[in-house]
Amino acid sequence: MLTGSDPSPPSAEALAALLEWYRDAGVDMAIDEIAIDRFAAPAAAAPVVAPVPAEAMPAARPALPQFATSVPGATPTIGVAEAEAARIAAASAETLDALREALARFEGCPLRLTARSLVFADGNPNARIMLVGEAPGREEDLQGVPFVGRSGQLLDRMLAAIGLGRQDVYIANVVPWRPPGNRTPTPEETAICRPFIRRQIELVDPDVLICLGGAAAKELLDTREGILRLRGQWLGYDTGRRQIRAMATLHPAYLLRQPLQKRLVWRDLLALKAALPQETH
């Protein structure tokens, strides 16, 4: 029976569980509890606002990079200036540390303005195996390290299944900044980051390159093939010094949604183990 009194407030444990559920769902901002129909609301007269003295005005925010306008239906293009700046910055880096610094200074990608961290890499830069995903998620953005959330924990177990750990591999992403709300990076954002991930692969110069997911595979292996058709096949990748073996497999995030597909990844892992240099076994 309703008494008209307010219900008891939720416990701290319940609130923490709710926040964790929101986090896993990709929610990273608050909205009003009551929906507002902006189309039905009557137009209100614009309020009269007193002029603000110039000395009280906040400093202007840096302008976002302007991307070139693309024809509807065509592949979006990036600005020539930004593309050239990315190419020069990446090519000038002679070491991985220098490449990280170049990315930290690079202002041509708008994602750096919304992300908390530059998520550059993790693992062993001298490893013979390099893994590349698409872009960081929330946990990766918070910690500045790739694959540390639920997908990363599954990736660790996948590697452990064939006797490998993070000390045996080098891990990076095509896009090193988290897109807002964990959305998919736009073609412009991926294109502007392309010189950096390719230079990163050149500097690591691994024996084996593993693309985690279809987005990374399409970017690095120059293919339009779907990931379920492409996965498990040995292809070639030119590091700039030599051709190395490359394979695409399913992304750990996909496996969290489709656990039955782990059987396919197990086959890919066994193929990877068989292809490894003897000293990494």
Side-chain angles (χ1 to χ4, degrees):
M1 179 177 179
L2 298 176
T3 61
S5 60
D6 293 335
S8 300
S11 65
E13 292 79 8
L15 289 173
L18 180 61
L19 287 173
E20 183 177 358
W21 185 85
Y22 281 144
R23 182 199 65 188
D24 292 342
V27 177
D28 59 0
M29 63 181 66
I31 59 175
D32 290 339
E33 294 184 0
I34 301 175
I36 300 175
D37 188 345
R38 302 291 183 183
F39 293 99
V48 178
V49 181
V52 180
E55 58 271 15
M57 293 293 287
R61 298 181 65 183
L64 293 176
Q66 297 297 313
F67 293 104
T69 303
S70 57
V71 178
T75 302
T77 57
I78 62 172
V80 175
E82 290 81 8
E84 181 65 9
R87 186 191 66 78
I88 293 173
S92 64
E94 296 297 330
T95 65
L96 289 170
D97 287 340
L99 186 64
R100 181 196 288 269
E101 293 175 5
L103 265 170
R105 294 191 304 267
F106 183 67
E107 298 182 353
C109 182
L111 290 178
R112 69 186 298 274
L113 301 178
T114 57
R116 290 173 179 260
S117 306
L118 168 66
V119 183
F120 184 70
D122 191 28
N124 181 0
N126 297 313
R128 297 296 83 208
I129 309 140
M130 184 170 179
L131 312 175
V132 180
E134 181 180 27
R138 180 181 181 276
E139 289 300 320
E140 290 75 15
D141 188 35
L142 290 174
Q143 299 186 39
V145 179
F147 285 93
V148 292
R150 293 180 62 208
S151 295
Q153 294 165 16
L154 178 55
L155 178 61
D156 289 343
R157 295 196 295 272
M158 291 163 56
L159 293 172
I162 56 172
L164 298 176
R166 293 218 171 195
Q167 72 279 2
D168 302 307
V169 299
Y170 184 80
I171 308 173
N173 281 302
V174 171
V175 175
W177 294 284
R178 179 202 182 199
N182 286 0
R183 64 165 172 76
T184 300
T186 66
E188 292 96 335
E189 291 159 354
T190 300
I192 202 69
C193 296
R194 181 178 300 134
F196 294 103
I197 183 59
R198 291 190 176 273
R199 182 59 176 156
Q200 199 168 359
I201 297 171
E202 289 174 15
L203 291 171
V204 176
D205 193 28
D207 289 328
V208 178
L209 176 67
I210 300 296
C211 298
L212 298 171
K218 289 178 180 179
E219 174 62 27
L220 298 177
L221 303 181
D222 192 24
T223 179
R224 295 184 179 181
E225 196 78 54
I227 185 62
L228 290 177
R229 287 181 174 271
L230 185 66
R231 54 140 294 274
Q233 302 179 40
W234 284 114
L235 303 170
Y237 180 89
D238 187 353
T239 67
R241 299 179 183 178
R242 60 193 175 104
Q243 283 279 334
I244 63 170
R245 304 186 77 182
M247 179 196 292
T249 191
L250 303 179
H251 196 286
Y254 176 80
L255 297 178
L256 291 173
R257 301 189 300 269
Q258 302 287 341
L260 291 180
Q261 301 288 40
K262 291 180 180 179
R263 59 189 175 82
L264 299 179
V265 176
W266 176 238
R267 298 174 191 169
D268 300 343
L269 291 172
L270 292 177
L272 170 60
K273 183 178 181 179
L276 295 181
Q278 190 64 36
E279 62 270 17
T280 63
H281 278 270

